[in-house]
Amino acid sequence: MGKKIFGTNYPVSICFIVVNEFCERFSYYGMKALLTLYFLTYLKWDKDLSTAVYHAFSGLCYFTPILGAFIADSWLGKYKTIIYLSIVYVIGHVVKSVGAIPTVGSTELHIALSMSGLILIALGTGGIKPCVAAFGGDQFDEEHTTERQKFFSIFYMSINAGSFLSTIITPILRGDVKCFGGDCYALAFGVPAALMVVALVVFIAGSSLYKRTPPQGNVLWEVCNCIGFALKNRWNKSKHDPPKKHWLDWAEEKYSMRLIQEIKMVLRVLVLYIPLPMFWALFDQQGSRWTLQATRMNLAFGNSFAIKPDQMQMLNALLILVFVPIFDLIIYPLVRLCGLKITPLRKMAMGMVFAALAFGAATLVEVNVVKTVVNPAPAGKCLLQVVNLAKDDVSLKAPGTDLFLQSIKYLEDPPGYETVPLSNGELNLEVTVVNGGNFSATQMVEEKKAYSVIIYPDATGITYTLVEDHITKNEEGNPLLRFLNTQPEALNVTVGDNNFYMSSGYNVTHNKTVQRGEYTDVTCISNSGKTSKLNLGLLDFGACYTVILTEEAGKIVPHKIEDVKANNVHIAYQIPQYILITAGEVMFSITGLEFSYSQAPANMKSVLQAGWLLTVAFGNVIVLIVAEGAGLEQWIEFLLFACLLLGVCVIFSVMAHFYTYVDPEEMEKLYLENSVREEDDSDFKKKNNEIELNKTGKSTKM
């Protein structure tokens, strides 16, 4: 008898298992929450490649549980499998964290370390996934079923608590703590690594208290062998042997009828799994496409608080904790009161509908989000805006276009970029000053890029300079800032942690990322030592600013131009899609697991769990293919996924309509009755055979 908690029927050992699971889930979800932005900003991959690798990793995490289950059931047992694969897990975290240190080697080494770390993490987290919960269940005596059920509820709560806290904390460590001159990914990945070490230490600390069951063989392997033997036998003997009722019956010469009947029951459920990956294809994009969408939204709540784009994922874990009791205690009973029959498969179909609606909501958000995005010019053209620093109004003409013909006032904020055709890579300009004077110029430029024509006075009248602009929004949603110095001496401006040095004479600095916020007291120091205080106002999420520094009344005065508009869609508009996808998860995922377990014999539940996890893996493969292969605009991609899931939902509903529910317990009783009857028949035949043998001296052939 193992030690119990305060005289209850709960083993003390489960405390170590629950704490282990909390720490492990914290380490996994905390690390995973950062991945998309890590690929984008640290490894400098594009959005499609970042999404593809994110989902390749997620898919691998759901393929490897089959390997973990095989090792545990056929070789090491659950306890040793958890320890050994947790060590692999820790090594993966450490390798991943080292890969996030900028001073360690080249970019190629960072990529190699990051990918190696992720593969080891996938082996670790996937390998222990089928073992930990089952090992916790093994700690209870058979008669304590109520306590075991409550343990699984606590276990599930620890998973969501770890997920919720980690997706809040690790993005803060990434964005608010600076190291090596930028976001501190090394620390943000290092903390989950430390939590995984804690998880391993806690699990080992409880070793003397655990009830351990030896490996008893892998049911999944036996099922695969039985199916393989049936197919092989059918192929070899179907031409000359009489046909069988079911193709699995070809295995009856080697495997028991009980096993064959149980596999038939399992296959009926697994056929229903075929459409399910499409749901997971949508669900798992919370950490990839939805996070990327959040980077182009306004993340501020008031003037003093803003969230990180990768923190929005915590809504799912939070809403799960809220929705599960609401659905069980309020929504489902109300629906039954209305006279509607709620079957598990109907719940799953509705879960698909809600997930599709979530992507419909994401589509609407995306359509509005992209309005502030400046798209590159098409081939043979460039983007152009005009900044007038001459004292008089000017107009500008580029051959082949009627743009910029209206007068442009001094220090006027350009309304936006215009697309201008090029002539063999040349930009031809004609500038006219309203009060007299004009000039023409030809400038070699690159197609598809954006430029600012800065018109300013010089000793002979007016002239211009052409500056290449940065029109891509910051990957983390922060504003970008640069300065233009109109003064005859160099200036030095400090904004937050960034220093901008400008040489004299209409020179423009490079864009730098600054934190979103009000900058009302920025220090500007000239070469002569003169100090001025600048009020830059609000530098908002997603904007690209050019601040022109002029002299007025003996003071340096800033004039802010918004090259790329700030994100004007608030992050709160993502909340409906998170509510819908989480409601879909409650109806689809939780119900799906309950349905699967209710429709299969007790010793086949691990087979169904493997099948369920594979649907998640293949769902991630779908996203990987679409992200890398389709090349669609984001809102079209969201809409495509929504429509695909609705189509799959129709197919699933038809399949569900023809499905007949079974009661495994009744099937078990029926099987036992048949077994007894077969034994009785066998005994009768045996006795009859003996009587005949005594009478005739020979056995009757049966």
Side-chain angles (χ1 to χ4, degrees), residues 30-46 50 53-54 95-102 104 106-115 117-118 174 183-189 287 291-292 295 310 475-476:
M31 177 277 305
K32 191 179 178 185
L34 308 171
L35 277 184
T36 300
L37 293 185
Y38 174 75
F39 295 150
L40 202 64
T41 63
Y42 186 83
L43 298 183
K44 305 299 181 185
W45 291 348
D46 62 38
S50 299
V53 175
Y54 175 91
V95 171
K96 182 78 190 67
S97 302
V98 172
I101 300 174
V104 176
S106 61
T107 302
E108 289 74 18
L109 180 61
H110 295 156
I111 293 173
L113 289 172
S114 297
M115 296 304 102
L118 288 177
R174 170 194 63 77
D183 283 354
C184 202
Y185 281 104
L187 175 64
F189 286 133
T291 297
L292 293 174
T295 64
D310 38 0
E475 290 86 354
E476 296 175 15

Side-chain angles (χ1 to χ4, degrees), residues 462-505:
I462 63 168
T463 187
Y464 83 101
T465 185
L466 194 68
V467 178
E468 184 177 337
D469 293 345
H470 185 94
I471 58 171
T472 304
K473 288 177 177 280
N474 178 265
E475 290 86 354
E476 296 175 15
N478 289 316
L480 292 168
L481 179 65
R482 66 179 179 177
F483 287 89
L484 192 161
N485 181 17
T486 66
Q487 299 307 296
E489 62 177 336
L491 299 174
N492 199 70
V493 178
T494 301
V495 181
D497 297 328
N498 295 284
N499 187 63
F500 296 85
Y501 175 78
M502 296 153 273
S503 56
S504 61

Side-chain angles (χ1 to χ4, degrees), residues 328-375:
D328 286 342
L329 302 176
I330 300 174
I331 294 178
Y332 292 152
L334 284 177
V335 173
R336 292 190 188 98
L337 282 175
C338 294
L340 297 175
K341 186 179 180 182
I342 308 176
T343 64
L345 294 179
R346 287 178 181 175
K347 288 183 191 176
M348 293 175 69
M350 282 305 300
M352 291 182 179
V353 172
F354 270 75
L357 291 174
F359 267 66
T363 302
L364 293 175
V365 171
E366 186 67 22
V367 167
N368 288 283
V369 162
V370 296
K371 290 179 180 178
T372 63
V373 174
V374 178
N375 293 314

Side-chain angles (χ1 to χ4, degrees), residues 50-72:
S50 299
T51 300
V53 175
Y54 175 91
H55 286 282
F57 167 72
S58 297
L60 185 59
C61 289
Y62 285 93
F63 278 118
T64 51
I66 296 174
L67 176 63
F70 178 77
I71 293 172

Side-chain angles (χ1 to χ4, degrees), residues 261-262 264-269 272 344-345 594-601 605 608 658-668 670:
Q261 292 302 320
E262 288 173 343
K264 288 178 183 178
M265 293 174 66
V266 167
L267 290 179
R268 291 176 68 247
V269 179
L272 286 174
L345 294 179
E594 291 173 355
F595 163 77
S596 302
Y597 277 39
S598 72
Q599 296 298 291
K605 296 190 189 306
L608 284 178
F658 292 100
Y659 182 83
T660 303
Y661 290 86
V662 298
D663 186 342
E665 292 183 3
E666 290 297 323
M667 294 292 290
E668 183 77 10
L670 183 62

Side-chain angles (χ1 to χ4, degrees), residues 22 47 78 146 154 272 281 316 326 388 520 529 553 613 619 632:
F22 169 82
K47 293 179 179 180
K78 297 184 187 74
T146 304
I154 296 169
L272 286 174
N316 176 249
I326 289 177
N388 179 17
T520 58
L613 294 174
L632 301 172

